[in-house]
Amino acid sequence: MTMPLLSGELRVVTAGAEPLGEALDAQAVPRIRVDWRPPMPGTGDDLARVLADPRRAEANEVAVGRLVSARPRLVTVRPAREALDLPPGTFLHAGPPITWERASGPMRGALVGAALLEGLAGDPEEAGRLLAAGRVRLEPCHRHRTVGPMAGVVSPSMWMLEVHDAEHGGTAFCSLNEGLGKVLRYGAYGPEVLRRLTWMGEVLGPVLRAALELTGPLDLGALIAQALQMGDELHNRNRAATSLLVRELAAAIVDAAPGRAAEVLRFVHGNDHFFLNAGMAACKVSADAARDVPGSTVVVAMARNGTDFGIQVSGLGDRWFTGPAGVPDGLYLGAYGPADANPDIGDSTITETAGLGGFAMAAAPAIVRFVGGDVPDAMRATRSMYEITLAEHPAYRIPVLGFRGTPVGVDVALVARTGLLPAVNTGIAGRVAGTGQVGAGLVSPPASAFTTALTAAAEAAGPGGGPER
């Protein structure tokens, strides 16, 4: 299309068709470049109803305001049976609800390992039969104010990080991080995995609890803000955040357990991802503050169980909107390749939900060496997320973008309107139970999770854009 200027000169407006625009540039024809994309197919009517809902603007402002004003504090560490009132024979898992029959290899492997850890079975075969018979109750972590990385399996004896929101009063939990390689969260359940988990329950958890009793609550929001300015994005790169956490706790660990301090600090020192789980709980308690605002289209959870990817939306209660989990595209360890990869898995997309991880990759140029791509890709990923979010985080800032706040507050309406999907970086689990981690990379969520959520929001808005009575 063309438009007149005040001088009478005409300029061409181009949208999308870059070959045409480049041809105009070659002819020195003045043009105005507009970055426009059509809405996702079939979403027009739902978008119109949602955008016409008179509640939406204020509801979204309230929801995002709660999310970014949360003040997460790490207060203690305690067993899941105590923290979550988790009874014997009940396991939590990452992502939307799932049954043993639909569970992927790494999810099954982690559940088998948990059954062995809890003494419910004597060997993997017996554990598999127990789980297949439905004699273990499976529930999503999110149902219990909890998040778990990768398979996210939580059993009663596992120790949990407990995070309180000092602003809104919420609480969230996450298990302790085992490290990388052959670990339970990637579906491994060999003797070395069980020995490590037993040590974490007998030594690591109690020592951390004793140390936190000496230090008092730790301000996780402040640590996240500092780590972003030190090169982390707080999902797949947590090296700075882990170092900051150790700095806060080291002296107290020595004072609280001098006989165990060396082994605890050595374990944490050898695990650059140790902070991830604390950061996930911080993001969970922040996102939960934005829940249950009628009319809000803000996403408050994104999670995967290795089979399904699901989201929850502030104004739509605890309902999950799901689609098939995709296989990440990334870098593989050793001789592993895409054929060895399981579809995306884990609750760690709670970091992206709160404006970190893939949304903050511009803050972490080194992350591309772990997940693939290059530095310009990381910059583009972050910049594109401003188009589907409603705010910039006031505390989580990115130096290379002029200390602009990270994009936060994913809006299902904006996702449908732009066709842009959330940027997610992730570890890659082997598809065969017991394999462990095989790589790391980037993955796109299924569009259907967002379009079905949009339809539900449209139905809640009513035929005229207002709530049905």
Side-chain angles (χ1 to χ4, degrees), residues 22-256:
E22 291 167 358
L24 293 170
D25 292 341
Q27 300 173 61
V29 175
R31 69 170 173 131
I32 299 172
R33 188 176 309 171
V34 176
D35 185 12
W36 179 86
R37 288 172 297 275
M40 289 181 172
T43 61
D45 291 344
D46 290 337
L47 265 173
R49 291 172 65 181
V50 168
L51 296 176
D53 187 345
R55 305 171 300 167
R56 178 174 172 270
E58 183 178 354
N60 282 344
E61 184 177 355
V62 169
V64 175
R66 290 179 184 173
L67 194 163
V68 300
S69 62
R71 294 188 290 139
R73 305 287 192 267
L74 176 60
V75 295
T76 192
V77 186
R78 51 188 178 134
R81 67 170 66 90
E82 173 189 330
L84 306 175
D85 195 23
L86 198 63
T90 296
F91 295 168
L92 308 186
H93 63 80
I98 196 166
T99 61
W100 173 261
E101 290 73 24
R102 295 187 65 244
S104 64
M107 180 65 76
R108 288 190 173 198
L111 291 169
V112 165
L116 296 174
L117 179 70
E118 299 297 332
L120 301 179
D123 57 53
E125 291 73 23
E126 182 184 357
R129 291 192 296 270
L130 183 83
L131 288 153
R135 293 169 58 192
V136 175
R137 182 178 177 86
L138 305 181
E139 296 187 355
C141 286
H142 275 282
R143 188 178 296 170
H144 295 263
R145 299 174 296 161
T146 297
V147 280
M150 304 310 290
V153 170
V154 174
S155 62
S157 68
M158 296 180 186
W159 282 61
M160 310 296 292
L161 298 157
E162 182 172 332
V163 176
H164 288 181
D165 175 4
E167 182 67 23
H168 306 290
T171 304
F173 303 89
C174 189
S175 53
L176 296 170
N177 194 284
E178 309 161 77
L180 295 176
K182 284 190 175 294
V183 289
L184 187 81
R185 71 178 186 277
Y186 279 99
Y189 53 80
E192 72 278 17
V193 174
L194 299 180
R195 283 195 298 269
R196 185 188 306 111
L197 288 169
T198 299
W199 175 85
M200 290 170 69
E202 294 176 351
V203 178
L204 181 63
V207 169
L208 292 176
R209 177 166 63 182
L212 284 165
E213 288 173 355
L214 296 178
T215 64
L218 296 186
D219 186 344
L220 295 179
L223 296 183
I224 290 170
Q226 291 178 64
L228 280 169
Q229 297 185 30
M230 297 168 68
D232 282 357
E233 41 70 70
L234 280 303
H235 186 167
N236 277 288
R237 192 178 195 277
N238 287 272
R239 187 166 191 168
T242 297
S243 298
L244 291 168
L245 182 64
V246 171
R247 182 178 177 181
E248 295 288 335
L249 288 175
I253 288 173
V254 173
D255 289 340

Side-chain angles (χ1 to χ4, degrees), residues 245-328:
L245 182 64
V246 171
R247 182 178 177 181
E248 295 288 335
L249 288 175
I253 288 173
V254 173
D255 289 340
R260 295 287 197 176
E263 60 185 298
V264 168
L265 290 171
R266 192 176 296 114
F267 176 80
V268 177
H269 173 71
N271 178 8
D272 285 345
H273 278 65
F274 190 78
F275 184 86
L276 170 62
N277 296 40
M280 286 175 58
C283 291
K284 170 64 174 169
V285 82
S286 301
D288 276 359
R291 285 180 177 269
D292 301 321
V293 182
S296 173
T297 49
V298 170
V299 175
V300 293
M302 296 192 290
R304 316 88 93 202
N305 57 29
T307 302
D308 311 307
F309 177 102
I311 67 171
Q312 293 179 318
V313 177
S314 173
L316 299 174
D318 293 333
R319 179 178 172 186
W320 285 98
F321 303 93
T322 64
V327 175

